[in-house]
Amino acid sequence: MKFSVQVIVHPDDDTEASPMVREVFTFDRDDLAPDTLGLQLAEAKDLLAAVQDTVVEQQVNTAVTKQVACPDCGRARRHKDTRTIVVRSLFGALQLASPRWLHCDCRNQPARTFQPLAGLLPERTTPELAYLQARFAALVSYGITADLLGELLPLGRRLHPAVVRRQTQAVAQRLEDELGEERPSFIGTCQRDREELPRPDLPIVVGLDGGYVHSSQQRSRTDGWFEVIAGKAIPADGRPACFGYVQTYDTKPKRRLFEVLKAQGMTANQQVTFLTDGGEDIRDLPCYLNAQAEHLLDWFHLTMRITVMANMAKSLPPPPPSPESPDEPSADLANEIGTQLQRLKWFCWHGNVFRALQTTDDLIFDLDITEPCPEQARLLKAIREFDSYIRANAERIPNYGERQRAGEAISTAFTESAVNQVIAKRMVKKQQMRWTPRGAHLLLQVRIRVLNDQLASDFHRWYPGLSRTLDPMTLAA
């Protein structure tokens, strides 16, 4: 049997003109079989492209006709020539005839000619196609995104990965331009005003950590890395939100984190708990974001350093017997150091920074000998680094035991999953890609908006006429 698909165009004016009927697609079907049931993908593509061409042709003709007359004097504008503009859509690359007209002489104009169609379509990619490119590029590689969209949609010309990358970066740059200016402090209220506010919700817990991606300037896999800061904000009620940025590229890290907390419902009198690894790169980031904020050192990173030192202590060789009493067994240095490290861990767990520093001083004194063996030298270096680490973060070490018994957060284990979700899955693991700081930063902004289910809302805000079916929640319903 034969099937024909027709498009009927109904005029929207008050004239009695009959609707225009155009046959856009025809296909045949034989006996029913699994491979002949319904439309096939190639036929669906051709059908969508044919309908798209018909609809666009009518839209363009109507829009251009409305602008023939000068809005000031009503005279028809003179035609100079016709050019072609190409607009990429989900259902084909549209080559549109764009007439160029001379401006009317009734008013002074900055240019002699203009193209009305080019003014109506300043962007050469439709919002839906831009949205799908950015969304899929945030989840998989640019090449896979181009192949996937080309396989499922009648795009017309082949979609190149470089085009997907440029479109994704353009979306990210638009998001960056909307970000407010950076400020050293975001505390805009006094204590009296905060006391008059309603009672806030439970604290928002924010974890900050870093990951590394391959630099495009590296010469081997062992060098040329740069750091990416990632984190997650978890409110008491509601959905967590991820965020991230390239530290060496971003100029608005405080503003970026503040906007995330603001979107999570942070009020001026609400407590915010920041958990970090105590590194110098993110130590000052949470400062002056909220008057009720507290910045704590993550227990996981703290105890991991002690665990590494304990493993190094186990490899210490036994000291040689004393020449004065060779028959007496020598002291077991490894056990002594191990016992001291257990005490150090206990002091840190209970927030006793003073006794913890005393213990590190004792360890340094015991290991700082004239000719240490290589194992002792490595352990001594690690303990000295840990001592500096504790002194730099002394104000951020709470009583972890007390906080744990109270059900409060003491570790950024949830941030490790955020680093894996934001950075590793897209940019490191099994991805043989190298990045520039700008390229990585812009991709991160789109990926974060996708992970937080915010990218569709951004496109709806930019393009009010865009279909609401882009919203993942609407699709799920």
Side-chain angles (χ1 to χ4, degrees):
M1 64 187 71
K2 183 177 181 180
F3 297 88
S4 297
V5 179
Q6 295 178 337
V7 175
I8 303 176
V9 181
H10 299 272
D12 55 0
D13 50 20
D14 296 332
T15 63
E16 296 181 356
S18 60
M20 184 188 71
V21 180
R22 177 179 296 184
E23 184 174 306
V24 296
F25 187 69
T26 302
F27 63 99
D28 297 323
R29 276 296 175 271
D30 297 327
D31 297 334
L32 180 63
D35 54 342
T36 62
L37 179 64
L39 284 174
Q40 298 178 357
L41 180 59
E43 294 171 338
K45 288 184 178 181
D46 294 339
L47 173 59
L48 289 173
V51 174
Q52 176 86 318
D53 290 340
T54 303
V55 173
V56 170
E57 179 184 352
Q58 298 301 317
Q59 285 182 300
V60 169
N61 292 337
T62 302
V64 172
T65 302
K66 290 180 179 179
Q67 299 196 38
V68 171
C70 176
D72 298 317
C73 64
R75 291 185 301 176
R77 296 185 172 100
R78 291 179 296 167
H79 180 270
K80 182 176 178 60
D81 58 22
T82 300
R83 300 181 176 181
T84 301
I85 63 174
V86 178
V87 179
R88 304 201 66 160
S89 71
L90 287 176
F91 311 117
L94 307 173
Q95 297 187 6
L96 309 179
S98 177
R100 192 156 62 111
W101 294 337
L102 294 171
H103 278 293
C104 187
D105 297 334
C106 64
R107 288 185 58 187
N108 293 328
Q109 301 289 346
R112 294 183 63 251
T113 64
F114 75 103
Q115 296 184 67
L117 190 59
L120 294 173
L121 301 174
E123 301 177 7
R124 294 299 183 259
T125 302
T126 58
E128 280 187 312
L129 180 56
Y131 168 78
L132 289 181
Q133 290 183 58
R135 179 175 178 81
F136 284 107
L139 301 175
V140 295
S141 69
Y142 297 124
I144 295 177
T145 299
D147 294 339
L148 177 63
L149 295 179
E151 186 74 21
L152 298 179
L153 298 171
L155 298 177
R157 295 186 299 181
R158 178 180 178 271
L159 189 60
H160 196 274
V163 176
V164 178
R165 183 183 71 248
R166 288 195 297 268
Q167 185 63 56
T168 304
Q169 291 181 353
V171 173
Q173 190 61 55
R174 188 168 183 176
L175 292 171
E176 289 290 281
D177 295 339
E178 292 182 344
L179 196 62
E181 63 180 5
E182 180 75 331
R183 299 205 308 244
S185 175
F186 289 89
I187 302 175
T189 58
C190 63
Q191 181 65 28
R192 183 183 61 184
D193 295 337
R194 290 192 293 271
E195 291 176 353
E196 296 177 355
L197 294 174
R199 183 177 180 179
D201 295 332
L202 294 175
I204 299 176
V205 180
V206 183
L208 299 170
D209 205 349
Y212 290 86
V213 299
H214 299 293
S215 171
S216 60
Q217 306 299 324
Q218 72 180 75
R219 297 180 180 178
S220 66
R221 292 185 63 85
T222 58
D223 62 358
W225 297 70
F226 60 87
E227 187 176 17
V228 175
I229 304 300
K232 180 181 290 186
I234 303 179
D237 296 320
R239 178 177 178 178
C242 300
F243 61 94
Y245 61 91
V246 176
Q247 179 191 2
T248 56
Y249 178 83
D250 190 20
T251 59
K252 302 177 181 180
K254 280 183 177 292
R255 166 64 71 174
R256 194 176 308 280
L257 181 55
F258 176 78
E259 292 297 334
V260 172
L261 297 177
K262 183 178 178 181
Q264 293 292 93
M266 180 187 68
T267 59
N269 63 336
Q270 186 172 7
Q271 185 179 3
V272 183
T273 301
F274 293 96
L275 291 168
T276 71
D277 60 357
E280 296 180 1
D281 46 1
I282 57 176
R283 189 179 299 158
D284 298 330
L285 179 61
C287 298
Y288 306 110
L289 286 176
N290 186 291
Q292 306 297 118
E294 59 176 350
H295 183 189
L296 305 179
L297 187 62
D298 168 40
W299 171 249
F300 172 78
H301 288 88
L302 181 64
T303 187
M304 280 302 298
R305 289 174 178 257
I306 300 177
T307 301
V308 171
M309 291 188 294
N311 292 333
M312 295 173 65
K314 294 178 181 179
S315 63
L316 292 176
S322 173
E324 298 179 355
S325 46
D327 296 334
E328 291 184 5
S330 57
D332 192 346
L333 181 61
N335 288 336
E336 293 181 2
I337 298 297
T339 302
Q340 289 286 81
L341 290 175
Q342 288 296 324
R343 296 180 67 245
L344 175 62
K345 184 176 181 179
W346 191 90
F347 290 139
C348 291
W349 173 255
H350 292 282
N352 195 338
V353 180
F354 177 77
R355 293 299 305 274
L357 292 175
Q358 281 187 333
T359 305
T360 56
D361 290 339
D362 294 340
L363 288 170
I364 293 173
F365 179 80
D366 294 338
L367 294 172
D368 191 9
I369 58 179
T370 305
E371 296 182 359
C373 64
E375 293 81 1
Q376 283 182 267
R378 287 194 294 269
L379 179 58
L380 177 62
K381 179 182 177 181
I383 293 177
R384 283 175 172 168
E385 292 177 351
F386 183 79
D387 181 80
S388 302
Y389 178 73
I390 292 296
R391 294 181 187 276
N393 295 279
E395 298 178 353
R396 302 175 179 89
I397 299 178
N399 189 325
Y400 295 102
E402 182 178 316
R403 287 183 63 87
Q404 187 186 50
R405 289 188 293 272
E408 299 177 341
I410 63 173
S411 175
T412 58
F414 63 93
T415 311
E416 298 295 329
S417 64
V419 172
N420 182 58
Q421 185 181 27
V422 175
I423 305 174
K425 286 186 176 181
R426 176 61 177 88
M427 309 175 74
V428 181
K429 290 184 176 180
K430 299 181 181 179
Q431 303 290 335
Q432 303 300 321
M433 291 181 287
R434 299 181 180 183
W435 302 86
T436 62
R438 178 180 180 273
H441 177 78
L442 294 180
L443 177 65
L444 278 175
Q445 305 318 307
V446 179
R447 180 171 174 81
I448 288 168
R449 304 296 288 187
V450 171
L451 295 176
N452 295 340
D453 284 340
Q454 296 174 321
L455 188 63
S457 299
D458 295 327
F459 271 84
H460 293 145
R461 186 177 71 254
W462 297 337
Y463 308 98
L466 196 61
S467 172
R468 296 298 298 182
T469 55
L470 287 184
D471 193 342
M473 300 303 295
T474 304
L475 291 176

